[in-house]
Amino acid sequence: MKKFLALILAILMVCSLAACGASNDAPADEVKEELIMGTNATFPPYEYYDEDGETIIGIDAEIAQAVADKLGMTLTIKDMEFESLLTAVQSGAVDIVFAGLTVTDERKESVDFSITYATGIQVIIVPNDSEIASVDDLAGKTIGVQAGTTGDIYCTDEFGQDNVKQFANGALAVAALQNGQVDCVVIDNEPAKSFVTANDGLKILDTEYAVEDYAAAISKENTELTAKVNAAMEELTADGTIDAIIAKYIKAE
Ligand code: GLN
């Protein structure tokens, strides 16, 4: 009797293991791994909301989609404050940050960067009748910036915290410029162009404040993802995909 019970048990175990294996195998082929991208969608033409107000579009969204496609992953975009992005990628709340993000030595201490895919220039927006004509005129002026950006970091270092007013995004800084709360706004050139186009009476000074490289940020603990993303981005650079995406949003002057 004991032997018989043991045999039944053995048969039951083999059956359940087989069933288990079968049910595990089936969906594995269909379910794609998710790539969660963090961004701050107030930064045209790199990331901003489509007219429907729901879809995030732009250069970064399209490059990230092309990378995800190459890696056989699905892309999910999470919109958050610019200042929270690096913490989010460090904590694993997002896998990757694409946000017109400038490579800096300080940021390299907390995250790894992908290969660079674009150049950014910090420029100065002023009202048409401003007496500010170049970077040299910024001393003693009130400068509007997007909090946590390189524009914020450079201006705070150079002109002091008291002369820099931080805003949650570039559009709010530009609104403050229109209201006379700040004398100028220091921000990346491409969003600067769209803000100046959307607002009367403003211009961008010819003098460049800083020239920088944009790259994606990934957790230092996720070196495997960094290697895969870099390989994908190298292919997308070589076959012209990245150039084509940039050209779609930034018309040559
Ligand atoms: N390039 C700037 C930075 O990395 C601004 C980026 C942004 O505002 N999205 O700080």
Side-chain angles (χ1 to χ4, degrees):
M1 190 62 189
K2 260 190 182 167
K3 263 189 190 160
F4 179 68
L5 267 180
L7 185 68
I8 299 268
L9 264 179
I11 290 169
L12 276 177
M13 271 171 74
V14 169
C15 285
S16 66
L17 276 179
C20 222
S23 66
N24 249 355
D25 284 347
D29 299 336
E30 292 150 35
V31 177
K32 284 189 184 175
E33 214 185 317
E34 194 182 23
L35 182 68
I36 304 176
M37 157 182 158
T39 198
N40 172 250
T42 64
F43 200 72
Y46 284 89
E47 41 268 329
Y48 57 105
Y49 281 92
D50 194 2
E51 277 157 19
D52 68 6
E54 279 168 28
T55 320
I56 297 174
I57 57 171
I59 295 169
D60 284 335
E62 289 204 25
I63 293 178
Q65 186 62 61
V67 168
D69 288 347
K70 271 230 178 280
L71 302 181
M73 299 170 92
T74 55
L75 180 72
T76 304
I77 303 181
K78 278 194 188 168
D79 188 14
M80 50 184 76
E81 294 292 315
F82 180 80
E83 279 197 297
S84 314
L85 288 171
L86 292 190
T87 324
V89 81
Q90 279 178 290
S91 72
V94 302
D95 303 311
I96 191 163
V97 170
F98 271 101
L101 186 68
T102 302
V103 179
T104 71
D105 287 340
E106 207 185 334
R107 288 175 180 166
K108 275 187 194 165
E109 284 171 21
S110 45
V111 292
D112 280 343
F113 281 100
S114 71
I115 58 168
T116 68
Y117 61 90
T119 302
I121 300 168
Q122 294 298 313
V123 295
I124 303 162
I125 307 177
V126 293
N128 281 335
D129 58 0
S130 173
E131 59 183 30
I132 300 172
S134 80
V135 186
D136 303 332
D137 302 327
L138 290 186
K141 296 286 189 294
T142 308
I143 306 165
V145 295
Q146 179 176 8
T149 61
T150 46
D152 179 9
I153 297 161
Y154 303 152
C155 289
T156 304
D157 279 356
E158 205 172 335
F159 305 106
Q161 185 69 67
D162 291 348
N163 291 309
V164 178
K165 262 200 174 166
Q166 298 178 315
F167 297 88
N169 59 59
L172 290 174
V174 170
L177 180 61
Q178 292 288 48
N179 294 337
Q181 286 173 263
V182 298
D183 300 312
C184 65
V185 169
V186 171
I187 194 163
D188 302 51
N189 58 330
E190 288 304 330
K193 280 191 221 161
S194 36
F195 292 137
V196 166
T197 308
N199 289 272
D200 284 340
L202 300 180
K203 65 178 181 188
I204 298 171
L205 296 184
D206 288 337
T207 48
E208 295 167 350
Y209 186 46
V211 179
E212 338 182 286
D213 289 322
Y214 290 169
I218 297 170
S219 162
K220 283 191 177 295
E221 276 157 36
N222 208 349
T223 49
E224 196 190 323
L225 182 65
T226 308
K228 286 200 291 186
V229 166
N230 277 339
M233 284 175 72
E234 266 157 23
E235 282 176 40
L236 293 166
T237 305
D239 71 8
T241 306
I242 289 186
D243 274 351
I245 292 171
I246 294 174
K248 180 174 155 189
Y249 287 92
I250 303 176
K251 304 284 171 240
E253 275 140 47

